[in-house]
Amino acid sequence: MKQIFTHTLGLLLAVTLVATEANAQQFTKRKQYNSVGVTLNAMNYFGDIVPKPSFASFRVAASRPNIGVNVTRRFAPRLSARASFAYGRITGDDYKAADQNDPDAKYRYHRNMSFRNDILELSAVGIFDLIENRNNYLKRPDFVPYVFAGIAVFHHAPKGLVGTGANAGSDTQGLTQGSYIDLQPLQTEGVSYSKTQVSIPFGGGVRYKLNKSFDIGLELGWRKTFTDYLDDVSKNYIAETKLTTPAARYFGHYNVRNDDGPFPSFNAEGSQRGKGNEKDWYIVTGLTLNYILAPRVKSPKFR
């Protein structure tokens, strides 16, 4: 997957640079324009708390809404730059995702972890249209597929759910069932990670011209992150003695499921808690409505 990502991003950047050089001299400032937009999306993630331990595994039912605003500047017949700010939530739940009859999911079934994570993202991407427009915004094509890539900074804060009923775990440590607790300060794996991270957004979409002022688009975008703690799960269990608060002990040791037999020893120090060899991703899919800000055309001056 890393090779596919690297090659795709490299090709996109190379094509963008070549197109920029070729088109810069042919697209006058009078044809450049700005637009503002709003997005309504579905948000999901790839990580440790998914049905299968693979990149392509996620629960559709775990999707949550994502909303955002953006500003786009068209510079050339195929090229635009977009700055966006968005808010969304990702979730995961072993109780609903892990199958106790699947050998690969056994430890995740007993792990019994659930989380939600609210993400604030500020991004800047370059957009490359697969159909060019050498005219002004009024004569833009009706239908345009495009690809994009860029960089983003996001703030996240994973929170764990103190389970209820059959999902309560073996010992709630006196915590209020049904409450969400901030996981990052607990260091459930003995690791201190930052809530502010960098990601690489990339993907593609299609844009449709509604009228002279509005475009609507459908977009699918991945976010390659450099953290394995969007879900607060990464590597191994640590010794219970290193978990100094009731909440840390619950999420780092006691939040386990033993309804299929005797309490297992899988949560002993050094036992597997997460995959540990892959970073987490999140994905955003949805609709964008853009309003084009008609450029001001200066009339020629006569003397």
Side-chain angles (χ1 to χ4, degrees):
M1 187 64 208
K2 289 183 179 180
Q3 291 181 346
I4 295 175
F5 167 71
T6 302
H7 293 161
T8 302
L9 184 58
L11 178 62
L12 176 60
L13 293 176
V15 171
T16 300
L17 290 175
V18 172
T20 301
E21 183 67 23
N23 292 328
Q25 303 300 323
Q26 303 177 22
F27 201 72
T28 64
K29 288 186 177 181
R30 294 184 64 182
K31 295 179 180 179
Q32 296 176 357
Y33 59 87
N34 301 321
S35 63
V36 294
V38 294
T39 61
L40 178 61
N41 307 301
M43 196 171 183
N44 217 307
Y45 104 113
F46 304 121
D48 292 278
I49 307 178
V50 292
K52 295 286 186 180
S54 65
F55 172 78
S57 177
F58 69 94
R59 287 182 65 241
V60 175
S63 301
R64 294 295 182 270
N66 171 284
I67 57 175
V69 294
N70 66 75
V71 177
T72 304
R73 172 71 174 177
R74 173 162 293 278
F75 291 102
R78 292 183 185 267
L79 293 176
S80 302
R82 183 178 70 197
S84 304
F85 179 75
Y87 163 80
R89 173 176 290 178
I90 56 175
T91 66
D93 190 341
D94 282 334
Y95 188 79
K96 299 176 181 178
D99 181 1
Q100 63 175 319
N101 298 316
D102 182 352
D104 293 331
K106 193 70 172 179
Y107 79 93
R108 291 181 288 118
Y109 174 84
H110 286 295
R111 181 178 60 196
N112 198 34
M113 184 65 185
S114 64
F115 84 101
R116 72 183 187 192
N117 194 341
D118 293 336
I119 294 177
L120 291 170
E121 179 193 80
L122 180 63
S123 65
V125 303
I127 300 172
F128 181 78
D129 289 349
L130 302 184
I131 298 176
E132 68 178 6
N133 174 27
R134 295 185 178 277
N135 297 305
N136 59 28
Y137 77 98
L138 294 172
K139 297 181 179 180
R140 67 191 186 279
D142 290 335
F143 181 83
V144 179
Y146 62 90
V147 292
F148 67 90
I151 190 168
V153 176
F154 68 94
H155 181 273
H156 73 116
K159 295 182 179 181
L161 173 64
V162 181
T164 59
N167 194 29
S170 62
D171 184 351
T172 60
Q173 295 286 296
L175 303 173
T176 302
Q177 294 186 1
S179 63
Y180 280 91
I181 294 178
D182 192 1
L183 296 173
Q184 187 260 4
L186 304 182
Q187 297 188 24
T188 55
E189 295 184 2
V191 175
S192 176
Y193 56 88
S194 175
K195 290 184 177 181
T196 301
Q197 300 281 343
V198 174
S199 70
I200 305 297
F202 67 99
V206 292
R207 189 170 60 248
Y208 180 74
K209 176 183 175 183
L210 292 177
N211 54 40
K212 69 175 184 178
S213 298
F214 285 96
D215 286 341
I216 189 170
L218 176 64
E219 184 172 290
L220 172 63
W222 289 269
R223 305 298 191 268
K224 161 64 177 174
T225 79
F226 301 92
T227 178
D228 195 20
Y229 285 99
L230 291 184
D231 46 24
D232 197 63
V233 174
S234 179
K235 298 179 180 179
N236 301 318
Y237 286 93
I238 62 175
E240 182 184 356
T241 56
K242 297 179 181 178
L243 302 168
T244 58
T245 67
R249 288 192 294 270
Y250 175 73
F251 289 107
H253 191 80
Y254 282 103
N255 183 32
V256 295
R257 191 174 177 186
N258 60 353
D259 54 0
D260 66 339
F263 181 75
S265 60
F266 74 93
N267 59 346
E269 182 179 10
S271 298
Q272 184 180 15
R273 188 168 184 259
K275 294 195 295 275
N277 57 351
E278 297 181 10
K279 303 301 183 184
D280 294 334
W281 295 62
Y282 60 98
I283 182 173
V284 179
T285 308
L287 296 172
T288 299
L289 181 66
N290 285 323
Y291 174 73
I292 295 174
L293 303 174
R296 297 178 60 185
V297 179
K298 295 182 179 180
S299 302
K301 295 180 179 180
F302 298 95
R303 294 184 178 179

